[in-house]
Amino acid sequence: MKKYDVIVIGTGAGNIVTDAALDSGLKVAQIEKGKFGGTCLTRGCIPTKVMVTVADFIRENQKAKKIGIKTQDVEVDWKVLSERVWSKINESIDILEEYKKEKNLDVYEGTGFFVRDKVLQVKYNNGELSEEITADKIILAAGARSRRIDNVEGALETAYITTEDFFGEKFPKKPYKSLIIVGGGAIGTEFAHFFSSLGTKVTLVQSRDRLIPRSDRAISEQLGKMLSKYGVDLRFNSELKELKMNGNEKILIIKNKTSGEVSEIHGEEVLVAAGVIPNTDLLKVENSNILTDKAGWIRTNEFLETSVDGVYAIGDINGHGQLRHKANYEADIIVNNLFPAALPLGQIEEGKEAERRFARFDTIPAVVYTYPQVAQVGYTEEAARELAEEKNWDIRVGYNYYSSTAKGYAMGYNEGEAEDGFVKVVIDVKSKKILGAHIIGSEASLLIQPYATMLATGNIEHVIFEPEIGTEETKKMRGKRHSRYLDPQKITSITESVTAHPALTEVAMWTQYFVPMK
């Protein structure tokens, strides 16, 4: 059996841990079954933002006449757009080559899986098996993959695509004439925005009664109105019944769960964006004592520890949210707690040891890059009201509309119009604390950051997750009800004020990494 100091499975946020372990002089194994760089780079937030930014310019051009600008319809250069998308995805090639040059690193290109506790093998992409490997510390950052609809009648015989296919061999040579999107979450609504702006006839099929159901209902309803205005055919409360072909056309048959009405939708392609499932089955965690929940997500506590000492899980696979910046935040916590020698200069106050960090998942911002943009942090109004009695909260809600500000009016927002953007805050009037903030409108991704920073700094209460999971050190800290104070005036606090990725707020929030501390 080959012994390492650290094994990292996954090369998205896992690379942050890999780099820190290498910087600490440790012997590391890195395991990746697909493209290096993770979901965000190779088939997620980065290539999609390249696309939706084009769509944003198209919508802004259409809106320009409201403020006195006469424009003509724009023409999209699909070749240039495609080259820009793939230039980012193909950075994965350079990432792999750079890691292969590292002295203390063994790169395994294949699927890592557990043989028993803390013992792994790798099934190489060529089909061969590695020897058994182990390490004192194992970090699982193996991510998730698109949920498929193979159980729907005809789906196995009628090819459909997921984002893995779209940003792979099925990337279109030109925009679709018509597209059926299954799923009304972040991925589905962003693709609906992009393709509808190009003139594609888009039908979005959603099983729930609204879009982006994890968002505040007022925001969700507003987004539905806006996408409908821009020509997206929204089908809510829909059950998938059958998928079939008719010549070169694909037909999806759906049933409305409320009315019982059955209807057919015709499209050139079907994109399934109905959520994701964890890659725990590929890890074969059943061969270990690592606990998962009913959906297969790895259970972790607030220190990202699993039920097996020395094994940690970060990113999509731990079920605390599928966001790259949340995964980065967790990787930073792992680095702080396990590899403090690799922290940036100035991160630790002179003469002190690194303070052990814990994760809080209620202050992670999220952005959906539709048109208009949607951003949120903290509790929705519905969630806050459900907890009000338990928490002794007196919930109040405040709105402010884009049109009510001079800048908003200058941008073309007018009072009373359906597309007027707004900020909604949820507060507890007893403590005067902000519980949540929700925004829909231009540059919502920028406007959410002050709320995210306020919620992440000051006195940070230690909230316990999975109380039965924890090392002796963790149990001692819990007994002390360890909490932390983050001074909002210190540059180092920016590390823990999570900024949505990818957003221009990163230009400001990542300044700390470029400030010389010595």
Side-chain angles (χ1 to χ4, degrees):
M1 187 187 306
K2 193 164 188 177
K3 175 74 161 54
Y4 293 93
D5 298 308
V6 181
I7 297 174
V8 180
I9 303 181
T11 59
N15 285 352
I16 296 173
V17 180
T18 297
D19 293 346
L22 290 172
D23 289 345
S24 301
L26 302 175
K27 180 66 175 175
V28 183
Q30 181 188 49
I31 305 172
E32 173 58 68
K33 65 181 176 61
K35 295 176 181 177
F36 275 57
T39 296
C40 179
L41 174 66
T42 62
R43 59 179 178 85
C45 44
I46 292 177
T48 55
K49 285 353 155 244
V50 174
M51 298 192 314
V52 298
T53 300
V54 171
D56 291 346
F57 275 105
I58 293 171
R59 295 299 184 208
E60 288 295 316
N61 180 69
Q62 294 167 345
K63 183 181 174 182
K65 64 182 181 181
K66 289 184 67 176
I67 60 173
I69 299 175
K70 293 182 179 180
T71 64
Q72 296 179 336
D73 289 342
V74 298
E75 182 179 350
V76 174
D77 189 327
W78 186 259
K79 182 175 181 293
V80 172
L81 186 155
S82 301
E83 288 173 349
R84 296 190 75 239
V85 167
W86 282 95
S87 71
K88 298 307 293 183
I89 295 174
N90 288 335
E91 287 179 6
S92 60
I93 299 169
D94 294 332
I95 293 171
L96 170 58
E97 292 307 311
E98 286 300 314
Y99 276 116
K100 283 183 174 180
K101 296 174 185 176
E102 292 284 347
K103 285 192 303 183
N104 281 337
L105 178 66
D106 287 344
V107 177
Y108 291 81
E109 295 182 71
T111 302
F113 61 92
F114 282 94
V115 178
R116 54 191 179 276
D117 277 350
K118 299 190 79 172
V119 178
L120 296 153
Q121 275 188 291
V122 178
K123 183 177 182 181
Y124 293 112
N125 291 335
N126 64 9
E128 296 179 1
L129 274 179
S130 75
E131 62 186 312
E132 291 185 352
I133 60 175
T134 187
D136 295 329
K137 298 178 178 65
I138 298 174
I139 289 81
L140 308 177
R145 62 189 187 273
S146 296
R147 186 184 304 278
R148 299 186 61 82
I149 58 166
D150 293 344
N151 60 324
V152 174
E153 183 181 347
L156 289 173
E157 296 74 34
T158 306
Y160 61 87
I161 63 172
T162 62
T163 55
E164 288 92 338
D165 306 309
F166 182 88
F167 292 116
E169 295 180 356
K170 297 294 182 68
F171 191 85
K173 292 181 171 55
K174 59 182 180 180
Y176 306 116
K177 292 181 179 178
S178 54
L179 176 65
I180 302 167
I181 298 173
V182 177
I187 296 171
T189 52
E190 288 183 358
F191 270 86
H193 162 44
F194 173 66
F195 277 106
S196 66
S197 76
L198 301 181
T200 300
K201 180 183 177 183
V202 177
T203 305
L204 190 152
V205 178
Q206 169 70 323
S207 64
R208 306 280 289 274
D209 66 344
R210 61 189 177 109
L211 301 175
I212 48 173
R214 292 184 181 181
S215 295
D216 191 89
R217 182 170 287 275
I219 298 287
S220 175
E221 291 173 352
Q222 177 77 345
L223 178 61
K225 292 176 184 176
M226 293 305 299
L227 286 183
S228 293
K229 176 186 174 183
Y230 288 119
V232 178
D233 183 3
L234 301 176
R235 307 290 184 93
F236 294 116
N237 295 312
S238 296
E239 179 184 353
L240 308 183
K241 301 300 292 182
E242 185 181 356
L243 183 60
K244 60 184 180 179
M245 292 290 298
N246 181 18
N248 293 325
E249 190 176 54
K250 297 178 182 180
I251 301 173
L252 179 64
I253 299 174
I254 62 172
K255 179 181 179 180
N256 186 284
K257 292 186 286 188
T258 303
S259 68
E261 180 184 356
V262 175
S263 57
E264 289 187 355
I265 307 169
H266 297 242
E268 180 183 345
E269 187 55 273
V270 176
L271 170 69
V272 174
V276 296
I277 60 173
N279 285 328
T280 40
D281 58 332
L282 304 180
L283 291 173
K284 296 186 180 180
V285 294
E286 66 273 12
N287 294 334
S288 72
N289 286 299
I290 295 172
L291 297 175
T292 63
D293 66 14
K294 292 180 180 179
W297 304 103
I298 293 176
R299 292 168 57 185
T300 59
N301 63 16
E302 66 274 22
F303 295 99
L304 293 317
E305 298 165 339
T306 71
S307 50
V308 174
D309 285 358
V311 180
Y312 304 80
I314 65 172
D316 293 357
I317 204 163
N318 68 21
H320 287 296
Q322 290 74 53
L323 298 165
R324 176 55 189 262
H325 49 276
K326 171 267 194 184
N328 289 349
Y329 164 71
E330 293 173 328
D332 286 343
I333 290 172
I334 293 291
V335 171
N336 181 90
N337 294 349
L338 302 185
F339 313 112
L343 291 174
L345 294 175
Q347 191 66 40
I348 304 174
E349 292 190 31
E350 191 171 348
K352 295 184 179 180
E353 294 183 356
E355 185 181 17
R356 195 167 185 233
R357 286 177 57 183
F358 50 81
R360 285 285 298 264
F361 301 109
D362 54 349
T363 59
I364 308 292
V367 178
V368 183
Y369 287 87
T370 52
Y371 192 87
Q373 288 182 6
V374 169
Q376 66 183 55
V377 66
Y379 292 99
T380 64
E381 179 183 355
E382 299 95 324
R385 292 196 183 281
E386 287 177 6
L387 290 170
E389 185 175 352
E390 175 189 338
K391 300 283 189 179
N392 194 29
W393 288 338
D394 183 2
I395 304 297
R396 302 292 171 87
V397 174
Y399 285 84
N400 195 22
Y401 288 85
Y402 279 49
S403 62
S404 66
T405 67
K407 180 60 175 177
Y409 173 78
M411 295 171 68
Y413 288 97
N414 296 315
E415 185 178 355
E417 290 184 345
E419 59 264 36
D420 195 1
F422 61 84
V423 177
K424 175 180 179 180
V425 292
V426 182
I427 66 168
D428 166 36
V429 295
K430 291 181 178 178
S431 64
K432 305 296 187 295
K433 286 187 177 180
I434 298 169
L435 303 178
H438 308 272
I439 306 172
I440 183 167
S442 179
E443 302 295 357
S445 59
L446 300 179
L447 296 177
I448 200 66
Q449 192 58 48
Y451 293 103
T453 301
M454 284 189 286
L455 289 173
T457 54
N459 288 311
I460 308 300
E461 180 187 358
H462 182 167
V463 177
I464 296 173
F465 293 95
E466 301 286 356
E468 69 274 26
I469 295 176
T471 61
E472 288 304 313
E473 182 183 7
T474 294
K475 291 172 183 175
K476 287 178 182 178
M477 291 189 72
R478 286 171 171 170
K480 296 175 183 176
R481 299 304 296 175
H482 173 65
S483 62
R484 306 179 64 232
Y485 177 75
L486 298 177
D487 187 339
Q489 293 185 332
K490 289 187 177 180
I491 188 80
T492 48
S493 290
I494 295 179
T495 302
E496 301 182 46
S497 300
V498 183
T499 181
H501 174 75
L504 276 176
T505 46
E506 291 170 336
V507 177
M509 297 296 287
W510 289 358
T511 306
Q512 56 152 333
Y513 296 112
F514 304 98
V515 175
M517 292 292 183
K518 287 188 178 179

